[in-house]
Amino acid sequence: MNRRKLVSRIVFSVCAALLGVAFALPLIWFVFAPFNAQADLDLALPKPPTLANFARVFANGAAVGALLNSLLQAFGTVLLVATTATLAAYALARTTLRGKRVIEYVLLLFSSVVSGSAAMVPIFLIVNALGLIDTQLAVILVFAGGLLPTAMFILRDFIASIPRGYEESALVAGASQWRAFVDVVVPVLRPGVTIAAVWAFVQVWGGFLIPFVLLRSEQRMPASVEIYSFYSQAGTPIVPLLAAYSVLYSLPVIALYWYVNRKYGFRFFGGIKS
Amino acid sequence: MSSRGAKVSSRTGVAFMTPAALLIGLFVVFPFFWIIAVSFSNRSLLGANALHPQFVGLKNYLDLFDPATFWGQGGFGPSLWLTIQFVVFSALCGQVLLGLVLAWISRELSPRAKSLLHGIVMLAWILPDVVVGFAWFAYLDRDAGTLNQLLRGLNFPAADFLIEHPFLTICMFNAWRGAAFSMMLFDAALQSIPPSYLETADVVGASSWQKLRDIVLPLIRGHIVTDLILITMWTFNVFTPFLLTAGGPSFESDILPIYTYRIAFKSFEFGKGAAIGVIVMLINLAFSLAYLRLAQRGLRKKGKAA
Amino acid sequence: MASIQLDKIGKSFGAVDTIREIDLAIDDGEFVCLLGPSGCGKTTTLRMIAGLEQPSRGSIRIGGRDVTCAQPKDRNIGMVFQDYALYPHMTIADNIAYPLKVRGVAEATRHEKAREIAEVLHIGQLLDRLPAQISGGQQQRTSLARALVHPAAAFLFDEPLSNLDARMRVEARAFLHHLQRSRGMTAVYVTHDQAEAMALSTRIAVMCAGDIVQYAPPLEIYRRPATTFVAGFVGDPPMNLVAAQATRNGHDVALRGAGLQMAPIVSWPALDLALERSDRVTVGVRPEHLRITAGDVATNRLHGKLFANEAMGPESLVTLDLDGGVRVTARIFGDASLRIESDAAFAFDADRFTLFDAQGVRIPGAAEDPSN
Ligand SMILES: Nc1ncnc2c1ncn2[C@@H]1O[C@H](COP(=O)(O)OP(=O)(O)O)[C@@H](O)[C@H]1O
Ligand SMILES: [Mg+2]
């Protein structure tokens, strides 16, 4: 019995190690290259390790500008999604609105049926008709529309788990409905809003297709499109710069996921990260 | 279950819904209907058809399924067939199986090792598209890439995977990229199995494989089906392989989302692109209806048990 | 403080009439319990008084003012919820002071007031903590303090003690009793625990399936339950109810039932009236009015097989399975040495039983004013 257990332990550990290495392999290059001033696509220990690549990124106006564009688009979307989704989710969770069920069902269907790549054409045409092609606002609005349904479902579940007694006791204590919402629901809902906001941020931050299709001018492109054009077009890519830039660009996403995972634990919120 | 109390009045409810409804209406619902309308027109980006697109009936659909060109190079047929293979290999065999194995293995690991393994797998999932695109671009480089260095070290012949095996490459890539979701889902499912079930099996001396087959799989069947549907839907719509191969070379990795993009934004045949979009959405609809039905059945079951 | 009147109040959820038609007049300074089994509509009634639920029919007045359509915030009430509903993100002080905050009272003043009421409720040392950091009993008192901090017209309680353990419940009950009697506040209190209702109320409204079946002071309800439902709900253990058949013999009425034997009784007008409609009656006897008897000596007796004999300390609960299958319990002071399954009998005095007619409505006793 004990012997068998030991053997199975060893087998499991070896499998785990192999799988771990297999998953890590495509990323290992990223551990070294950013710190290597002469980095190329091969795996080489940087000697000496240096932060020069990062300094070069920060000296590059286009690269920094793209990061700032990413920030602007992500924050704009998060703000829009967080406020409108909270309000709408509250209405979904708490009103006697007739046809609420139908709204939910239709929303769920639409949000999963209308995928980015299938809806690219009409979204492009709508944005074009609105005269918003090549504006950051267009990117923000389109992202917000696409992310809203999921954000609403995440928040609706959070609101549904808040005891109604919280609002009711505020109402009885003399608060108006709006006041009860602001004083009691919003603060209690903060974890939900944080999670939805982080999720939305990460989606926009990493989003490629929407800005790729909607934007034209270099100075409005977010980092995702900028990086792609760095390695796909410009003949021979400037590898050390690109490596450092990719790491910088990934850090916020990793940090946010780490934070949410640590603070709230990883859970599934309506098939998050689609 | 009654939904009682603290009811926000319907008027407040409508006011609260309005901003979200506008955004969703404009960028989710409206595109849905517009795409159907555009798919019946000869709309294009430039020229006369941009300003005054004409109704062309089913022409775009007939063109797509025209037997003369259906199976041709860069046609709809090969792309559809490629996408089906892509879903089967990279999602169903790749992600789901990998996720299950990872979740099952990590059960036996120490907490440290488990969180390390999960961390690595999660990293592949959370990094932005262009970063993993670039990572694989470097990883697969013909001369210097990590994979070829490793292969040479093990005395295998090196290869330019992006050129020589584009389809295999995007399958591996997608399996690697998405396995984390299945892993986390199955991990949660496994944790929901009371330890006493497995301990009972231990007592009678069942092997790890027997436990998995006889106890665990039947218990997490619901999770597996959920996972299959979601993963299939996502893989069906994934655009990221574009960043590796851009659909090439010579359409060997031309999956539907890339095909749509190419038709609409490279050839600017919006009408035809929309027609493909409609077909893709119909397929999505089938999947999400299946998913909703399943989710509701699950809810009802839970309600009964409670 | 104020009076409360419910006038022909009804509430339907969809096609279901949860509350049929309730009239309830609560005087200024009264403590009224809504007592009834789970699902009978107590909470719904209370929530209509609070304004959290809109009545489908009828009207509500608080302090003489018609508030049927008023928002909760305009009714000037304090309410304690079953799960306390303390805001998890606010300190105890902020929780207590919240009703003052929404009324625009300055921070210093409202914290002063919160401190005062917290001292009264013995939670003054907890003011800086969060709700998650205090015990259940302290949470209960915090929610009480939040209801009391503002001088409301009336106070509403929805099973406020049901989440406490048994010992704390008794303690908190006495405290509430003292608080209400000393302050003379108007209170409506929902509970399914008849002991709580007995201990606290000036009047109890016993509810059954959306109706008030009896509204009277506690002892009146105990002594003269209006129906078999009230009789079977109030008291611990509740009144024993045994079906019987009446046979007239001139002025005398003989009552006979399975396991029941009684001396003939002299009829009176109310009984005559009831027997004209049906000869089926129910005989009710309180457990404390039963005593163990041996042999056939007693004239009024219940006999059967001993089912259980539970010694509770000062008393014993002795349960018999009557020959007719009904189970009756006696509360015996001192202990009874009886063996399970042995034959046994209970005796009761001729003035210690209550009669109910075929519909389960109490037949007023011979000496009572029939209008009662
Ligand atoms: N919002 C609602 N919708 C439908 N039925 C309800 C609602 N609220 C209460 N009910 C029903 O009304 C009945 C009385 O409920 P309630 O007043 O909570 O009873 P109690 O407090 O006496 O246990 C119950 O059967 C309950 O299911
Ligand atoms: Mg209740």
Side-chain angles (χ1 to χ4, degrees):
Chain A
M1 188 77 194
N2 246 343
R3 179 97 171 246
R4 207 169 119 188
K5 217 165 193 169
L6 192 71
V7 170
S8 91
R9 248 251 145 79
I10 292 171
V11 171
F12 272 104
S13 305
V14 170
C15 285
L18 284 177
L19 275 170
V21 169
F23 268 85
L25 223 43
L27 297 174
I28 287 182
W29 179 81
F30 266 121
V31 178
F32 303 115
F35 305 100
N36 186 347
Q38 276 82 45
D40 206 336
L41 295 179
D42 60 335
L43 209 52
L45 278 182
K47 38 188 152 149
T50 169
L51 292 176
N53 295 339
F54 294 96
R56 280 175 72 194
V57 170
F58 284 118
N60 183 323
V64 175
L67 278 178
L68 291 179
N69 287 338
S70 283
L71 267 185
L72 177 75
Q73 290 163 17
F75 271 117
T77 309
V78 164
L79 219 61
L80 197 58
V81 167
T83 46
T84 54
T86 305
L87 289 173
Y90 187 67
L92 275 188
R94 291 291 207 247
T95 44
T96 49
L97 210 60
R98 274 201 281 144
K100 202 169 74 174
R101 275 282 152 75
V102 179
I103 295 180
E104 284 181 18
Y105 198 82
V106 169
L107 257 185
L108 209 62
L109 271 185
F110 269 114
S111 66
S112 48
V113 166
V114 182
S115 71
S117 45
M120 271 183 307
V121 174
I123 286 177
F124 178 84
L125 293 175
I126 289 169
V127 171
N128 199 17
L130 292 172
L132 289 176
I133 285 293
D134 198 25
T135 62
Q136 313 237 29
L137 181 64
V139 175
I140 291 175
L141 289 176
V142 170
F143 265 124
L147 300 179
L148 256 172
T150 310
M152 274 166 63
F153 286 115
I154 297 173
L155 287 171
R156 188 208 48 183
D157 289 348
F158 269 95
I159 293 172
S161 73
I162 299 177
R164 279 180 194 262
Y166 286 176
E167 290 137 274
E168 292 178 348
S169 73
L171 292 180
V172 170
S176 64
Q177 242 164 34
W178 175 253
R179 184 99 201 240
F181 176 71
V182 171
D183 281 357
V184 178
V185 178
V186 171
V188 175
L189 194 58
R190 221 173 51 197
V193 176
T194 307
I195 285 171
V198 163
W199 171 76
F201 185 96
V202 169
Q203 296 299 306
V204 182
W205 188 258
F208 171 77
L209 186 59
I210 288 174
F212 189 59
V213 169
L214 296 183
L215 296 177
R216 296 276 164 70
S217 15
E218 182 83 6
Q219 72 268 23
R220 301 207 176 86
M221 288 296 180
S224 53
V225 182
E226 195 74 2
I227 288 179
Y228 176 67
S229 59
F230 274 167
Y231 78 78
S232 66
Q233 294 164 4
T236 40
I238 316 157
V239 173
L241 194 69
L242 205 42
Y245 194 29
S246 297
V247 167
L248 276 180
Y249 169 63
S250 304
L251 279 182
V253 173
I254 297 172
L256 284 172
Y257 264 106
W258 180 79
Y259 170 77
V260 166
N261 190 28
R262 218 179 70 118
K263 187 123 195 252
Y264 304 108
F266 188 91
R267 279 177 286 161
F268 288 94
F269 302 106
I272 214 170
K273 171 139 196 321
S274 48
Chain B
M1 249 223 32
S2 60
S3 61
R4 74 177 343 173
K7 277 155 209 146
V8 184
S9 67
S10 286
R11 194 166 340 130
T12 321
V14 170
F16 276 31
M17 285 289 279
T18 306
L22 279 178
L23 278 169
I24 295 174
L26 198 53
F27 295 110
V28 180
V29 180
F30 192 47
F32 176 79
F33 291 106
W34 195 340
I35 202 174
I36 295 174
V38 171
S39 75
F40 293 110
S41 77
N42 62 354
R43 183 154 192 145
S44 62
L45 180 70
L46 300 167
N49 293 342
L51 287 179
H52 305 290
Q54 282 158 1
F55 178 76
V56 295
L58 289 173
K59 180 170 180 305
N60 289 320
Y61 294 92
L62 295 177
D63 279 356
L64 280 180
F65 290 100
D66 181 0
T69 56
F70 185 72
W71 286 113
Q73 265 257 323
F76 185 54
S79 177
L80 190 61
W81 175 231
L82 203 64
T83 310
I84 292 170
Q85 288 174 301
F86 181 60
V87 167
V88 170
F89 291 125
S90 79
L92 304 188
C93 301
Q95 292 184 9
V96 177
L97 222 58
L98 264 178
L100 192 61
V101 169
L102 281 164
W104 181 245
I105 282 181
S106 57
R107 244 175 33 90
E108 309 260 331
L109 298 178
S110 68
R112 273 252 178 97
K114 175 174 168 173
S115 64
L116 180 68
L117 181 62
H118 282 202
I120 294 171
V121 178
M122 286 286 284
L123 205 57
W125 189 51
I126 65 175
L127 285 176
D129 283 342
V130 287
V131 173
V132 295
F134 181 48
W136 276 66
F137 177 77
Y139 176 59
L140 298 175
D141 186 72
R142 171 84 175 82
D143 303 316
T146 312
L147 185 58
N148 279 324
Q149 279 186 330
L150 190 73
L151 288 177
R152 282 194 204 98
L154 298 171
N155 272 329
F156 285 107
D160 196 338
F161 288 92
L162 288 175
I163 307 286
E164 293 165 38
H165 312 289
F167 182 69
L168 178 71
T169 304
I170 62 167
C171 281
M172 299 233 311
F173 170 76
N174 191 51
W176 172 85
R177 174 95 165 127
F181 178 82
S182 303
M183 177 185 76
M184 300 304 279
L185 186 74
F186 291 136
D187 190 56
L190 289 181
Q191 278 176 16
S192 71
I193 298 177
S196 62
Y197 287 24
L198 296 175
E199 282 158 11
T200 315
D202 278 336
V203 169
V204 299
S207 72
S208 194
W209 163 244
Q210 285 171 325
K211 278 190 285 183
L212 185 66
R213 188 195 55 195
D214 297 337
I215 302 170
V216 175
L217 289 184
L219 281 175
I220 64 169
R221 213 174 48 204
H223 288 89
I224 295 178
V225 177
T226 301
D227 190 57
L228 286 176
I229 294 178
L230 286 177
I231 291 290
T232 302
M233 205 152 80
W234 292 338
T235 300
F236 197 78
N237 290 285
V238 73
F239 186 71
T240 323
F242 176 84
L243 300 173
L244 285 184
T245 63
S250 57
F251 310 112
E252 279 181 58
S253 58
D254 193 30
I255 52 176
L256 269 182
I258 298 176
Y259 176 74
T260 317
Y261 172 81
R262 199 159 46 77
I263 297 296
F265 293 98
K266 286 278 181 258
S267 331
F268 296 114
E269 297 176 67
F270 284 161
K272 197 170 164 196
I276 305 163
V278 170
I279 293 168
V280 168
M281 291 200 301
L282 281 178
I283 297 172
N284 286 343
L285 184 71
F287 282 121
S288 33
L289 280 176
Y291 178 63
L292 279 181
R293 272 196 87 126
L294 217 85
Q296 273 176 352
R297 180 138 30 108
L299 272 185
R300 222 171 298 143
K301 223 184 263 167
K302 230 189 261 164
K304 252 179 214 156
Chain C
M1 297 303 138
S3 62
I4 300 172
Q5 281 92 31
L6 306 192
D7 189 21
K8 294 200 173 50
I9 280 294
K11 177 70 183 173
S12 312
F13 291 110
V16 185
D17 287 347
T18 293
I19 304 293
R20 286 227 286 261
E21 187 180 298
I22 280 185
D23 287 300
L24 189 66
I26 299 167
D27 294 336
D28 191 1
E30 258 201 298
F31 196 120
V32 168
C33 277
L34 302 180
L35 174 67
S38 177
C40 70
K42 309 179 296 289
T43 297
T44 306
T45 308
L46 194 76
R47 291 167 59 83
M48 288 193 288
I49 300 175
L52 295 170
E53 209 83 62
Q54 185 66 30
S56 312
R57 304 170 284 281
S59 67
I60 299 175
R61 273 174 298 153
I62 298 179
R65 188 167 66 94
D66 189 324
V67 295
T68 314
C69 298
Q71 293 284 311
K73 70 183 169 73
D74 301 323
R75 298 188 182 206
N76 192 24
I77 42 179
M79 186 160 173
V80 177
F81 290 78
Q82 183 169 6
D83 55 5
Y84 314 141
L86 298 178
Y87 313 128
H89 60 290
M90 294 187 195
T91 62
I92 300 305
D94 286 331
N95 262 289
I96 297 176
Y98 188 70
L100 300 175
K101 185 181 175 191
V102 294
R103 289 181 171 81
V105 177
E107 174 146 5
T109 322
R110 63 175 194 256
H111 276 168
E112 182 53 39
K113 286 245 168 99
R115 174 165 297 282
E116 272 170 32
I117 189 76
E119 295 296 345
V120 175
L121 292 163
H122 308 296
I123 46 174
Q125 75 286 6
L126 306 172
L127 287 171
D128 294 328
R129 302 220 199 146
L130 290 173
Q133 298 164 337
I134 62 176
S135 74
Q138 290 165 338
Q139 290 180 9
Q140 195 272 334
R141 272 177 281 164
T142 304
S143 82
L144 191 58
R146 184 175 60 186
L148 294 174
V149 72
H150 170 78
F155 294 92
L156 310 178
F157 301 88
D158 191 355
E159 314 222 9
L161 306 185
S162 61
N163 287 340
L164 299 180
D165 62 44
R167 177 184 295 263
M168 300 227 331
R169 194 149 57 215
V170 174
E171 216 177 277
R173 195 175 74 191
F175 184 81
L176 264 181
H177 181 99
H178 176 83
L179 196 71
Q180 192 270 340
R181 297 298 194 275
S182 59
R183 297 188 164 212
M185 61 206 208
T186 309
V188 186
Y189 187 106
V190 162
T191 181
H192 64 265
D193 179 349
Q194 57 90 27
E196 238 169 59
M198 295 294 292
L200 287 168
S201 314
T202 55
R203 277 195 281 180
I204 298 177
V206 183
M207 294 187 65
C208 172
D211 276 320
I212 292 182
V213 285
Q214 190 171 11
Y215 181 41
L219 285 182
E220 170 76 13
I221 290 206
Y222 191 75
R223 294 199 181 120
R224 286 184 279 279
T227 64
T228 46
F229 171 79
V230 178
F233 197 78
V234 175
D236 183 29
M239 185 179 268
N240 297 300
L241 297 169
V242 182
Q245 181 145 22
T247 357
R248 299 204 68 119
N249 186 4
H251 267 309
D252 283 356
V253 174
L255 298 170
R256 204 142 319 227
L260 170 77
Q261 189 178 322
M262 285 179 72
I265 51 177
V266 181
S267 189
W268 64 94
L271 183 58
D272 290 339
L273 211 63
L275 293 184
E276 266 168 37
R277 291 195 295 267
S278 165
D279 60 352
R280 307 215 156 265
V281 295
T282 303
V283 177
V285 192
R286 289 267 172 215
E288 55 270 34
H289 296 149
L290 289 173
R291 56 185 185 276
I292 293 175
T293 182
D296 304 337
V297 285
T299 45
N300 296 324
R301 42 204 296 278
L302 295 161
H303 48 84
K305 279 205 173 13
L306 189 82
F307 177 72
N309 180 7
E310 303 157 275
M312 313 293 289
E315 68 201 10
S316 296
L317 297 181
V318 182
T319 305
L320 287 193
D321 271 339
L322 295 194
D323 297 343
V326 183
R327 202 160 271 177
V328 297
T329 301
R331 176 186 251 164
I332 308 293
F333 293 87
D335 50 11
S337 51
L338 289 168
R339 280 221 326 281
I340 299 289
E341 309 250 289
S342 63
D343 286 326
F346 295 147
F348 55 95
D349 292 339
D351 56 348
R352 291 298 200 187
F353 63 87
T354 310
L355 284 182
F356 301 91
D357 68 15
Q359 273 73 48
V361 177
R362 191 176 72 93
I363 303 168
E368 284 172 39
D369 173 2
S371 68
N372 254 352

